[in-house]
Amino acid sequence: MKKFVTELRGKTVMTNDGIILGMLDNFVINTDTGEIQHLLVVPSEDLEVRGYQTDAQGRLILPFKSMKSVKDVVVLELK
């Protein structure tokens, strides 16, 4: 199923094993191939961010193997 970026922005992001990472803020896309390289996620207050790469704004930089949207949640299989 196809989704627009605007439909996913603001949704809760969690791993496929149930860890809530935060809220989806944006995507980083390779403009040559159109491939989504990673997601930018505003971390949840309960998440320990030390184990994740972050950008200058404190968002998590999340490369992933697969992504699916289930109701109001985006579920990721991280690389």
Side-chain angles (χ1 to χ4, degrees), residues 8-63:
L8 298 175
R9 188 173 288 139
K11 288 193 175 195
T12 299
V13 177
M14 69 185 303
T15 63
N16 58 351
D17 56 350
I19 298 170
I20 295 177
L21 300 172
M23 181 184 66
L24 181 58
D25 186 50
N26 217 336
F27 295 83
V28 176
I29 298 174
N30 180 324
T31 56
D32 292 330
T33 65
E35 179 182 353
I36 300 172
Q37 294 184 316
H38 50 267
L39 303 181
L40 298 175
V41 174
V42 177
S44 83
E45 292 180 12
D46 300 336
L47 184 69
E48 178 56 58
V49 298
R50 280 187 284 173
Y52 299 93
Q53 183 180 0
T54 57
D55 69 3
Q57 297 174 338
R59 298 175 296 188
L60 304 174
I61 300 171
L62 298 173

Side-chain angles (χ1 to χ4, degrees), residues 51-79:
Y52 299 93
Q53 183 180 0
T54 57
D55 69 3
Q57 297 174 338
R59 298 175 296 188
L60 304 174
I61 300 171
L62 298 173
F64 60 95
K65 292 180 186 176
S66 67
M67 170 178 54
K68 62 183 171 182
S69 176
V70 181
K71 296 191 181 189
D72 290 334
V73 178
V74 175
V75 181
L76 297 180
E77 180 181 354
L78 298 175
K79 287 186 178 180

